[in-house]
Amino acid sequence: MLGFRKRKQIETGNKEEGRQLTLVIDDEMGIAKEDEYVFRYHAKRLPNLIENQVSIELLHAEHLEEGISIVALFRNTLPSSFEIDELPILLLDGNNIPSGRKKLSRIDLPTFEPWTSKPVYLNFFPDELFGEIDTSAPLRLVFQMNPIDAIQAISREAMEQFSPGAWQQVMRTNVATPPVGEDEFNMMLVAVEKDETRVTTTLLLRNGYAHDLNVEQLPLELMSGEEVVGLTTIRLENPVHSKHAYPISVTFENVEGDGPFTVRIKRS
């Protein structure tokens, strides 16, 4: 038997380019009456959109057992219905620094009708966050419009070489950094962790070429100012894929010096 989805359509009073947005709440969302008033309040007070625009407004965030749960209001002034898949969004802190990244899919979002606003519930899991999140501080959601280098998948053994903080810094740096140039290969220092005489560095090898690059081994120097204080050679288990950033963790032993440290490819 075919059924019809029950829903409430509430005029928000906001006129966008002379037309009014409609707040749509499907009954299957199970939204309590008092929460409905909250959505109506936010839908009315948010700034107007221009025509052919979409926005996602964070209304509430709270901690889960693992990750955080977010309530948002998705608004659009598009002329026809649409679906979203593989759309990246960023969670920003009060200083507009990325604190998390998530790709929205059809599982996360419903179909959107034109000129509507609709509540959306999202979970950011630990592997989508770049560190501890203070949900009482100002947070906001934005669509990630800038292109980035994709982070290359690595083995579980290679992942275990990164500390949680270093890996979070990999994700944060990658989101905030423009892609490497066409036909360019470079190495970016992401994080430095010092433990007595050992220095562990986190690097991104970035390949801007249209083909994979084999980097079987790479001699590296650890620098403290202008002085070489450590030497090592890394061997990669896979080629660096085209248009990807390959994360590696490199440890230098018996280092004398307090830094600040940098890493460079050893000069011949």
Side-chain angles (χ1 to χ4, degrees):
M1 178 182 295
L2 295 177
F4 293 96
R5 178 184 295 175
K6 295 181 179 179
R7 58 171 46 183
K8 294 178 181 178
Q9 298 189 10
I10 303 164
E11 299 300 330
T12 64
N14 274 0
K15 297 253 182 180
E16 319 283 353
E17 295 290 323
R19 183 173 174 181
Q20 193 172 50
L21 282 182
T22 301
L23 175 64
V24 175
I25 298 178
D26 296 328
D27 281 358
E28 64 184 25
M29 292 179 177
I31 295 175
K33 190 70 175 178
E34 55 270 24
D35 292 337
E36 180 184 311
Y37 292 131
V38 173
F39 288 124
R40 189 182 306 185
Y41 166 76
H42 284 287
K44 287 182 177 180
R45 66 179 290 273
L46 288 170
N48 290 352
L49 304 178
I50 63 175
E51 196 169 351
N52 293 314
Q53 188 176 7
V54 294
S55 75
I56 184 166
E57 308 287 346
L58 191 153
L59 304 183
H60 178 72
E62 64 182 35
H63 285 283
L64 298 170
E65 195 167 312
E66 291 189 338
I68 62 172
S69 173
I70 284 176
V71 181
L73 195 64
F74 196 107
R75 303 187 299 151
N76 85 91
T77 55
L78 299 182
S80 57
S81 299
F82 63 97
E83 291 184 342
I84 286 177
D85 199 21
E86 296 298 300
L87 176 67
I89 59 171
L90 298 178
L91 177 65
L92 304 182
D93 67 12
N95 297 315
N96 290 326
I97 296 174
S99 299
R101 180 178 186 267
K102 183 181 184 69
K103 277 191 175 181
L104 301 182
S105 69
R106 293 187 181 94
I107 297 175
D108 302 303
L109 299 174
T111 298
F112 292 97
E113 295 83 3
W115 290 85
T116 58
S117 57
K118 184 177 290 190
V120 173
Y121 297 86
L122 303 171
N123 291 334
F124 278 75
F125 297 105
D127 63 347
E128 298 171 316
L129 298 172
F130 305 159
E132 293 296 323
I133 306 296
D134 181 2
T135 56
S136 65
L139 296 170
R140 66 190 186 99
L141 293 172
V142 297
F143 299 113
Q144 182 193 320
M145 305 304 295
N146 61 301
I148 62 172
D149 292 312
I151 296 179
Q152 184 166 332
I154 57 177
S155 67
R156 178 178 298 178
E157 291 76 16
M159 276 292 298
E160 290 174 350
Q161 297 177 19
F162 297 90
S163 70
W167 186 253
Q168 290 164 352
Q169 189 61 33
V170 165
M171 296 189 294
R172 181 184 294 112
T173 300
N174 194 61
V175 163
T177 306
V180 66
E182 291 287 335
D183 297 334
E184 181 182 343
F185 178 86
N186 70 21
M187 180 177 70
M188 178 185 296
L189 177 63
V190 172
V192 176
E193 298 167 300
K194 191 175 188 302
D195 180 15
E196 297 181 355
T197 61
R198 174 188 297 180
V199 174
T200 300
T201 62
T202 301
L203 307 171
L204 282 175
L205 302 180
R206 306 196 303 156
N207 178 13
Y209 286 88
H211 56 272
D212 294 355
L213 292 177
N214 288 311
V215 186
E216 295 182 357
Q217 61 181 30
L218 194 64
L220 299 176
E221 296 177 329
L222 180 70
M223 308 294 296
S224 179
E226 296 297 320
E227 181 183 2
V228 178
V229 294
L231 294 169
T232 193
T233 298
I234 60 171
R235 292 170 174 81
L236 302 186
E237 54 188 19
N238 294 302
V240 184
H241 293 167
S242 169
K243 311 299 182 182
H244 277 69
Y246 192 123
I248 55 174
S249 179
V250 181
T251 298
F252 296 86
E253 303 284 354
N254 303 317
V255 175
E256 294 184 2
D258 297 323
F261 298 107
T262 58
V263 179
R264 72 183 185 188
I265 298 173
K266 183 180 179 182
R267 298 173 179 174
S268 57

